[in-house]
Amino acid sequence: MQIGLVGLGRMGMNMGRRWLKGGHEVIAYNRTYAKSEELAADGAKPAKTLQDLVKALKAPRIVWLMLPAGAATDEHFTELLDLLAPGDLIVDGGNNHYKEDILHGERAGKKKINFMDAGVSGGIWGLNIGYCTMVGGDAASVKRLEPLLNTLAPKDGWLHCGGVGGGHFVKMVHNGIEYGMMQAYAEGFEILQASPYKPDSQKVAHLWNQGSVVRSWLLELAEDAFSKDPQLAKIAGYVEDSGEGRWTVQQAIDTGVAAPVITASIFQRFVSRQEDPFSFRLLAALRNEFGGHAVQAAGQVKRETSAGAGSIEPASAAKNVKPR
């Protein structure tokens, strides 16, 4: 089957390779032409412009966008609307907001061009393992795309999630859950390392993946990270977010659904990007004002790794806790 692939970043490049390995014909376009040539070395046909890509495709065409959400996707989508013909299909495989998909679907529909959205998960491992894919659109378009989806995903690895926007909606919630899981692992391993036992984090991660209820691919990745850098000393604790977590929290607010774990995980990422946050300085100032608690001068902070680390106090010794 033939497909035009626009965007050859970390995900797009390997998706193209997976399609090529599956026997599909890939026409590849990237603003940096060297990327198109790189995929051409694996068998793709490179295109220097979007016009060249459209000309190389046989009608009815399928063009898959694998671009950053927002302006980049919208710009290429708009250009394609003027190049494609009725009956052609555009698939947005990036991480756009599902409401943007609905607008794009309406714009494409006015030109009788079909539109689908696809939330793709798999990261840099997807080339070999396959990409879990969540798609939104009409049934006829999904049926048409099925051979490409079957190649892209592992067995049972793709799902039609409803009308236009459905794929990215499910992917948005998927990413919100991912934020919460990552935060829980991060907190758990920090508690382990702050204890007097300080177990080997790599060995614990490996252990927990042997039948434990918290086993997961993320935990496999944690084990791999610890094997390279046991104390993660080479990595700064600065954590970005790509938007989907925020959208998930906003969706929860809009629909009145409580999502405290996902929300807290987003806020923790914000804290990771701050140095000596104003809010923490105010907390220290208020403790000093109402209770005379000592404060530390700016630039001379002496931090403790944990409170009371080095000794273990029985739970029964805690205040107001009675032994059972």
Side-chain angles (χ1 to χ4, degrees), residues 2 8 31 35 50 57 64 84 111 117 128 151-152 172-173 175-176 178-179 182 198 205 215 238 255-256 266:
Q2 191 184 56
L8 301 174
R31 276 182 171 171
K35 287 281 189 179
L50 279 181
L57 292 168
W64 187 298
L84 296 174
K111 295 200 170 189
D117 56 284
N128 296 319
T151 299
L152 187 66
M172 174 187 76
V173 176
N175 282 24
E178 176 189 298
Y179 279 43
M182 291 172 67
K198 294 179 172 55
R215 64 188 183 274
Y238 185 100
T255 53
I266 291 291

Side-chain angles (χ1 to χ4, degrees), residues 118-134:
V120 184
S121 180
I124 59 176
W125 300 84
L127 173 61
N128 296 319
I129 298 172
Y131 296 88
C132 178
T133 309
M134 298 141 265

